[in-house]
Amino acid sequence: MSAEQARARLAAALVRLGAGDKAALEQVYRATSAKLFGICLRILGDRKEAEDTLQEVYLTLWRRADRFDPARASPITWIAVLARNRAIDRLRRKRTLGPAVPVEAAREVADETPSAEDSLIEDEGQARIHHCLETLESAQRSGIKEAFFGGFTYADLAQRAGIPLGTMKSRIRRGLARLKTCLEAGE
């Protein structure tokens, strides 16, 4: 099955899910769970937290799939953003609560799964994303990558770059607009 056919099947399943079709949830889960788990795991760095977050994502999809508009976003992008946002919310809650054990007590575990960025790009089957990202200014490119694939908030990025929050938001918004134009043009 081509990437375009897979995208169309996923979009159709989301539309059916939005209409209350329970079988569509299983189809969406099978098509996206590995990718979404990778996103959650990369952001949270904890398998249990990633699993819990993934469950929240599918509960949210069950309740809000009717909000998906295939004319506005690709289905995997829409779901991936939902997973990313849930993982970031959980990470923020975790930071607020503080660590359960001292960091010295944790052992390092190598994460051999592909990064969320690599999975999304590969699964979308579009080398154009890399090309279009490379056409952006360096600051826009790094801001978009860190915000959407690194799990950083705009406030975190602005603070790290030493610029006002509004400037960071504008930089990323302009970069996303240029990225969208490039992707739609099929350059």
Side-chain angles (χ1 to χ4, degrees), residues 6 12 20 28 30 37 40 48 51 59 64 74 77 83 100 104 106-107 110 112 115 131 145 159 161 178:
V28 171
R30 287 183 184 189
F37 180 72
C40 295
K48 174 81 170 99
E51 289 169 354
L59 287 172
R64 296 186 183 170
S74 84
T77 301
E104 296 80 20
R107 64 183 176 102
E112 296 181 19
S115 70
H131 167 74
K145 284 183 175 182
Q159 184 179 11
R178 286 186 60 203

mmCIF file of all heavy atoms in Angstrom, residues 6 12 20 28 30 37 40 48 51 59 64 74 77 83 100 104 106-107 110 112 115 131 145 159 161 178:
data_model
loop_
_atom_site.group_PDB
_atom_site.id
_atom_site.type_symbol
_atom_site.label_atom_id
_atom_site.label_comp_id
_atom_site.label_asym_id
_atom_site.label_seq_id
_atom_site.Cartn_x
_atom_site.Cartn_y
_atom_site.Cartn_z
ATOM 1 N N ALA A 6 -2.378 4.740 2.455
ATOM 2 C CA ALA A 6 -2.398 4.586 3.915
ATOM 3 C C ALA A 6 -2.959 5.839 4.574
ATOM 4 O O ALA A 6 -3.749 5.760 5.522
ATOM 5 C CB ALA A 6 -0.993 4.293 4.432
ATOM 6 N N ALA A 12 -10.051 8.221 6.565
ATOM 7 C CA ALA A 12 -11.405 7.666 6.534
ATOM 8 C C ALA A 12 -11.764 7.020 7.875
ATOM 9 O O ALA A 12 -12.894 7.163 8.365
ATOM 10 C CB ALA A 12 -11.521 6.647 5.403
ATOM 11 N N GLY A 20 -18.673 7.738 15.564
ATOM 12 C CA GLY A 20 -19.000 6.765 16.599
ATOM 13 C C GLY A 20 -18.752 5.316 16.229
ATOM 14 O O GLY A 20 -19.183 4.418 16.945
ATOM 15 N N VAL A 28 -7.500 2.675 13.635
ATOM 16 C CA VAL A 28 -6.636 3.822 13.936
ATOM 17 C C VAL A 28 -5.513 3.386 14.867
ATOM 18 O O VAL A 28 -4.350 3.735 14.658
ATOM 19 C CB VAL A 28 -7.452 4.983 14.548
ATOM 20 C CG1 VAL A 28 -6.532 6.082 15.065
ATOM 21 C CG2 VAL A 28 -8.430 5.552 13.527
ATOM 22 N N ARG A 30 -4.175 0.358 15.301
ATOM 23 C CA ARG A 30 -3.195 -0.491 14.607
ATOM 24 C C ARG A 30 -2.288 0.320 13.686
ATOM 25 O O ARG A 30 -1.112 0.018 13.534
ATOM 26 C CB ARG A 30 -3.899 -1.576 13.812
ATOM 27 C CG ARG A 30 -4.464 -2.653 14.688
ATOM 28 C CD ARG A 30 -5.089 -3.749 13.890
ATOM 29 N NE ARG A 30 -5.696 -4.717 14.798
ATOM 30 C CZ ARG A 30 -6.165 -5.875 14.416
ATOM 31 N NH1 ARG A 30 -6.109 -6.216 13.146
ATOM 32 N NH2 ARG A 30 -6.696 -6.687 15.286
ATOM 33 N N PHE A 37 3.506 5.902 20.299
ATOM 34 C CA PHE A 37 4.260 5.462 21.465
ATOM 35 C C PHE A 37 5.692 6.007 21.387
ATOM 36 O O PHE A 37 6.251 6.460 22.384
ATOM 37 C CB PHE A 37 4.276 3.935 21.571
ATOM 38 C CG PHE A 37 5.036 3.445 22.764
ATOM 39 C CD1 PHE A 37 4.524 3.591 24.046
ATOM 40 C CD2 PHE A 37 6.278 2.860 22.614
ATOM 41 C CE1 PHE A 37 5.242 3.160 25.151
ATOM 42 C CE2 PHE A 37 7.004 2.424 23.713
ATOM 43 C CZ PHE A 37 6.473 2.574 24.984
ATOM 44 N N CYS A 40 5.624 9.664 22.446
ATOM 45 C CA CYS A 40 5.441 9.785 23.900
ATOM 46 C C CYS A 40 6.697 9.363 24.655
ATOM 47 O O CYS A 40 7.116 10.038 25.596
ATOM 48 C CB CYS A 40 4.239 8.953 24.352
ATOM 49 S SG CYS A 40 2.654 9.526 23.707
ATOM 50 N N LYS A 48 6.510 3.522 31.183
ATOM 51 C CA LYS A 48 5.201 3.493 31.851
ATOM 52 C C LYS A 48 4.439 4.787 31.598
ATOM 53 O O LYS A 48 3.243 4.771 31.284
ATOM 54 C CB LYS A 48 5.411 3.280 33.357
ATOM 55 C CG LYS A 48 4.147 3.371 34.184
ATOM 56 C CD LYS A 48 3.360 2.084 34.130
ATOM 57 C CE LYS A 48 2.233 2.081 35.132
ATOM 58 N NZ LYS A 48 0.943 2.417 34.582
ATOM 59 N N GLU A 51 3.203 4.771 28.046
ATOM 60 C CA GLU A 51 2.037 3.891 27.872
ATOM 61 C C GLU A 51 0.771 4.550 28.399
ATOM 62 O O GLU A 51 -0.278 4.511 27.754
ATOM 63 C CB GLU A 51 2.276 2.560 28.583
ATOM 64 C CG GLU A 51 3.319 1.695 27.906
ATOM 65 C CD GLU A 51 3.748 0.495 28.735
ATOM 66 O OE1 GLU A 51 3.329 0.373 29.915
ATOM 67 O OE2 GLU A 51 4.518 -0.334 28.211
ATOM 68 N N LEU A 59 -8.167 7.667 24.236
ATOM 69 C CA LEU A 59 -9.428 8.095 24.853
ATOM 70 C C LEU A 59 -9.854 9.452 24.294
ATOM 71 O O LEU A 59 -11.036 9.685 24.021
ATOM 72 C CB LEU A 59 -9.286 8.171 26.379
ATOM 73 C CG LEU A 59 -9.214 6.830 27.096
ATOM 74 C CD1 LEU A 59 -8.870 7.029 28.576
ATOM 75 C CD2 LEU A 59 -10.527 6.071 26.953
ATOM 76 N N ARG A 64 -12.958 12.934 20.608
ATOM 77 C CA ARG A 64 -12.796 14.134 19.777
ATOM 78 C C ARG A 64 -12.473 13.879 18.309
ATOM 79 O O ARG A 64 -12.098 14.805 17.602
ATOM 80 C CB ARG A 64 -11.682 14.998 20.357
ATOM 81 C CG ARG A 64 -11.998 15.518 21.735
ATOM 82 C CD ARG A 64 -10.941 16.466 22.168
ATOM 83 N NE ARG A 64 -11.179 16.934 23.523
ATOM 84 C CZ ARG A 64 -10.310 17.622 24.207
ATOM 85 N NH1 ARG A 64 -9.152 17.933 23.683
ATOM 86 N NH2 ARG A 64 -10.595 18.020 25.419
ATOM 87 N N SER A 74 -2.992 16.278 7.622
ATOM 88 C CA SER A 74 -2.914 14.845 7.359
ATOM 89 C C SER A 74 -3.290 14.137 8.660
ATOM 90 O O SER A 74 -3.058 14.664 9.752
ATOM 91 C CB SER A 74 -1.510 14.453 6.903
ATOM 92 O OG SER A 74 -0.654 14.252 7.987
ATOM 93 N N THR A 77 -0.371 13.504 11.151
ATOM 94 C CA THR A 77 0.117 14.743 11.743
ATOM 95 C C THR A 77 -0.833 15.205 12.842
ATOM 96 O O THR A 77 -0.398 15.596 13.925
ATOM 97 C CB THR A 77 0.265 15.840 10.663
ATOM 98 O OG1 THR A 77 1.184 15.367 9.680
ATOM 99 C CG2 THR A 77 0.775 17.133 11.262
ATOM 100 N N ALA A 83 -0.738 13.542 20.418
ATOM 101 C CA ALA A 83 0.120 12.738 21.298
ATOM 102 C C ALA A 83 1.240 13.589 21.879
ATOM 103 O O ALA A 83 1.542 13.500 23.076
ATOM 104 C CB ALA A 83 0.704 11.555 20.521
ATOM 105 N N ALA A 100 10.234 11.218 41.728
ATOM 106 C CA ALA A 100 9.836 10.295 42.784
ATOM 107 C C ALA A 100 11.058 9.721 43.498
ATOM 108 O O ALA A 100 10.992 9.402 44.669
ATOM 109 C CB ALA A 100 8.994 9.166 42.204
ATOM 110 N N GLU A 104 20.110 9.992 40.735
ATOM 111 C CA GLU A 104 21.260 9.078 40.830
ATOM 112 C C GLU A 104 20.816 7.622 40.946
ATOM 113 O O GLU A 104 21.568 6.719 40.613
ATOM 114 C CB GLU A 104 22.135 9.420 42.049
ATOM 115 C CG GLU A 104 22.789 10.792 41.992
ATOM 116 C CD GLU A 104 21.835 11.922 42.391
ATOM 117 O OE1 GLU A 104 20.824 11.665 43.050
ATOM 118 O OE2 GLU A 104 22.130 13.058 42.016
ATOM 119 N N ALA A 106 18.454 6.253 39.287
ATOM 120 C CA ALA A 106 17.985 5.754 37.988
ATOM 121 C C ALA A 106 19.159 5.220 37.177
ATOM 122 O O ALA A 106 20.240 5.785 37.195
ATOM 123 C CB ALA A 106 17.295 6.874 37.230
ATOM 124 N N ARG A 107 18.926 4.143 36.487
ATOM 125 C CA ARG A 107 19.974 3.622 35.627
ATOM 126 C C ARG A 107 19.683 4.078 34.210
ATOM 127 O O ARG A 107 18.550 4.299 33.821
ATOM 128 C CB ARG A 107 20.060 2.110 35.706
ATOM 129 C CG ARG A 107 18.837 1.390 35.217
ATOM 130 C CD ARG A 107 19.009 -0.125 35.408
ATOM 131 N NE ARG A 107 17.791 -0.780 35.024
ATOM 132 C CZ ARG A 107 17.623 -1.399 33.866
ATOM 133 N NH1 ARG A 107 18.600 -1.496 33.019
ATOM 134 N NH2 ARG A 107 16.481 -1.969 33.567
ATOM 135 N N ALA A 110 19.344 2.580 27.191
ATOM 136 C CA ALA A 110 19.457 3.037 25.809
ATOM 137 C C ALA A 110 18.111 2.896 25.117
ATOM 138 O O ALA A 110 17.442 1.877 25.240
ATOM 139 C CB ALA A 110 20.498 2.210 25.062
ATOM 140 N N GLU A 112 16.572 2.393 21.789
ATOM 141 C CA GLU A 112 16.955 1.980 20.450
ATOM 142 C C GLU A 112 15.840 2.160 19.436
ATOM 143 O O GLU A 112 16.007 1.819 18.265
ATOM 144 C CB GLU A 112 17.427 0.533 20.479
ATOM 145 C CG GLU A 112 18.685 0.375 21.323
ATOM 146 C CD GLU A 112 19.194 -1.052 21.351
ATOM 147 O OE1 GLU A 112 18.819 -1.848 20.475
ATOM 148 O OE2 GLU A 112 19.969 -1.359 22.258
ATOM 149 N N SER A 115 13.643 7.728 16.468
ATOM 150 C CA SER A 115 13.109 8.950 17.059
ATOM 151 C C SER A 115 11.739 9.238 16.461
ATOM 152 O O SER A 115 11.410 8.782 15.366
ATOM 153 C CB SER A 115 14.052 10.126 16.777
ATOM 154 O OG SER A 115 14.005 10.467 15.407
ATOM 155 N N HIS A 131 13.637 18.240 2.808
ATOM 156 C CA HIS A 131 13.986 19.289 1.851
ATOM 157 C C HIS A 131 13.382 20.619 2.269
ATOM 158 O O HIS A 131 14.075 21.646 2.293
ATOM 159 C CB HIS A 131 13.502 18.905 0.449
ATOM 160 C CG HIS A 131 13.551 20.049 -0.519
ATOM 161 N ND1 HIS A 131 14.730 20.504 -1.045
ATOM 162 C CD2 HIS A 131 12.565 20.836 -1.008
ATOM 163 C CE1 HIS A 131 14.468 21.532 -1.836
ATOM 164 N NE2 HIS A 131 13.164 21.753 -1.834
ATOM 165 N N LYS A 145 11.880 22.171 14.947
ATOM 166 C CA LYS A 145 12.305 20.830 15.354
ATOM 167 C C LYS A 145 12.250 20.663 16.870
ATOM 168 O O LYS A 145 11.771 19.652 17.376
ATOM 169 C CB LYS A 145 13.718 20.542 14.843
ATOM 170 C CG LYS A 145 13.781 20.219 13.378
ATOM 171 C CD LYS A 145 15.209 19.875 12.970
ATOM 172 C CE LYS A 145 15.289 19.433 11.536
ATOM 173 N NZ LYS A 145 16.670 19.065 11.152
ATOM 174 N N GLN A 159 13.452 31.387 26.097
ATOM 175 C CA GLN A 159 14.405 31.561 27.187
ATOM 176 C C GLN A 159 15.790 31.060 26.778
ATOM 177 O O GLN A 159 16.793 31.736 27.006
ATOM 178 C CB GLN A 159 13.926 30.821 28.433
ATOM 179 C CG GLN A 159 14.819 31.033 29.634
ATOM 180 C CD GLN A 159 14.289 30.310 30.862
ATOM 181 O OE1 GLN A 159 13.379 29.507 30.790
ATOM 182 N NE2 GLN A 159 14.866 30.617 32.004
ATOM 183 N N ALA A 161 17.002 30.850 23.790
ATOM 184 C CA ALA A 161 17.567 31.701 22.736
ATOM 185 C C ALA A 161 17.801 33.134 23.218
ATOM 186 O O ALA A 161 18.442 33.920 22.529
ATOM 187 C CB ALA A 161 16.637 31.721 21.525
ATOM 188 N N ARG A 178 5.970 28.837 5.902
ATOM 189 C CA ARG A 178 6.866 28.559 4.774
ATOM 190 C C ARG A 178 6.959 27.058 4.518
ATOM 191 O O ARG A 178 6.982 26.616 3.369
ATOM 192 C CB ARG A 178 8.250 29.124 5.047
ATOM 193 C CG ARG A 178 8.286 30.643 4.911
ATOM 194 C CD ARG A 178 9.684 31.208 5.042
ATOM 195 N NE ARG A 178 10.553 30.669 4.002
ATOM 196 C CZ ARG A 178 11.867 30.621 4.109
ATOM 197 N NH1 ARG A 178 12.468 31.090 5.185
ATOM 198 N NH2 ARG A 178 12.610 30.129 3.141
#
